[in-house]
Amino acid sequence: MSSAGKKVGLLLFAPPGQPAFESCLQFATAALEQAATVYLYCIDEAVTGLANAQLQALQKRGLILYACAYGAQRRGIAIDNLATFCGLGILSDIITGTDSFLSFS
Amino acid sequence: MNRHILLIVSDDPRRSARVAEAFRIAAGLRAWKKVDVSIYIRGEAVRALAEDTSDFLDEEILVRYLSSLIETGAPIYLEQGVAAALDVRPGAGLRELSAGEFAELAAQCHATITL
């Protein structure tokens, strides 16, 4: 079934190295390959993985990447251009504005 | 009609900061009023309702947001029988769900977030 034109929202809690991180990226890759618009919101420990090479490569391929500013601040992670740092309002918009929404923890 | 999200919290608050984070997320999403949020607390996470919170990770955050959720009438449900098994006395107004009722609730939701 094609996902072309569909919007997919993903919420990721896990850092690189954990199965949920890998599963999320695999899912995002598959969705992008089917021409879906994919929004990924990194929260909790996932904000430590923003520099992950695979994640950044997906962003270059069109993944729309957000990161929880609160989570980053709590972990001493610099607010930089690795992702768009934002709050839960954006997560709320992703939940309401996408055709399907999945979380990976 | 808003989309309805079910947040499922399972971790032991004495061992995982995800419980506090779950309540923070629930409160934050509710604040924007674009998404309806229900919370289902199961297993060891029911300990979060205990009176003694001194050994909880991110205690201040957990207590703050859980209290706010309760005070603002957020739909919070507990796994049936766990509070009694853990000797936790949750406050009035927190309803226990059987497995079937939980499944029914989850089926009604647009998505679930499991922590």
Side-chain angles (χ1 to χ4, degrees):
Chain A
M1 182 186 300
S2 172
S3 295
K6 293 279 176 70
K7 294 180 182 178
V8 176
L10 304 175
L11 176 63
L12 176 60
F13 290 86
Q18 292 198 7
F21 186 92
E22 305 306 324
S23 296
C24 181
L25 265 58
Q26 285 171 9
F27 189 96
T29 300
L32 287 171
E33 286 173 353
Q34 292 190 25
T37 301
V38 184
Y39 302 83
L40 171 55
Y41 190 103
C42 290
I43 199 168
D44 198 55
E45 296 174 68
V47 299
T48 63
L50 295 177
N52 176 270
Q54 192 181 358
L55 180 59
Q56 289 299 314
L58 284 175
Q59 188 171 208
K60 287 185 171 64
R61 287 178 57 182
L63 175 77
I64 300 165
L65 182 60
Y66 295 103
C68 177
Y70 170 82
Q73 183 184 38
R74 287 201 72 200
R75 291 167 175 83
I77 291 166
I79 306 293
D80 55 21
N81 60 358
L82 289 177
T84 299
F85 289 82
C86 54
L88 292 171
I90 293 295
L91 177 58
S92 178
D93 287 340
I94 291 172
I95 292 169
T96 59
T98 52
D99 299 295
S100 56
F101 178 81
L102 295 169
S103 72
F104 294 82
S105 60
Chain B
M1 182 187 286
N2 284 349
R3 284 187 170 168
H4 188 182
I5 295 294
L6 178 62
L7 225 90
I8 301 169
V9 191
S10 305
D11 285 354
D12 186 335
R14 300 170 302 176
R15 292 177 174 71
S16 171
R18 288 239 172 122
V19 181
E21 181 68 351
F23 296 143
R24 186 189 75 86
I25 292 169
L29 288 175
R30 279 172 54 82
W32 288 93
K33 294 181 167 43
K34 296 178 184 177
V35 176
D36 293 336
V37 180
S38 292
I39 301 136
Y40 179 72
I41 306 174
R42 68 179 180 193
E44 295 291 332
V46 172
R47 293 184 186 277
L49 299 161
E51 282 187 20
D52 183 4
T53 62
S54 58
D55 54 353
F56 290 173
L57 297 185
D58 285 347
E59 176 197 4
E60 186 188 329
I61 294 168
L62 189 154
V63 171
R64 182 199 315 166
Y65 287 110
L66 179 56
S67 299
S68 171
L69 288 165
I70 292 172
E71 284 163 14
T72 56
I76 300 175
Y77 304 99
L78 309 181
E79 182 181 6
Q80 191 172 56
V82 176
L86 297 178
D87 197 26
V88 169
R89 288 183 178 78
L94 298 184
R95 192 180 143 210
E96 290 192 341
L97 296 183
S98 66
E101 288 171 321
F102 164 62
E104 205 175 300
L105 173 63
Q108 291 169 4
C109 293
H110 172 68
T112 59
I113 298 172
T114 301
L115 288 136

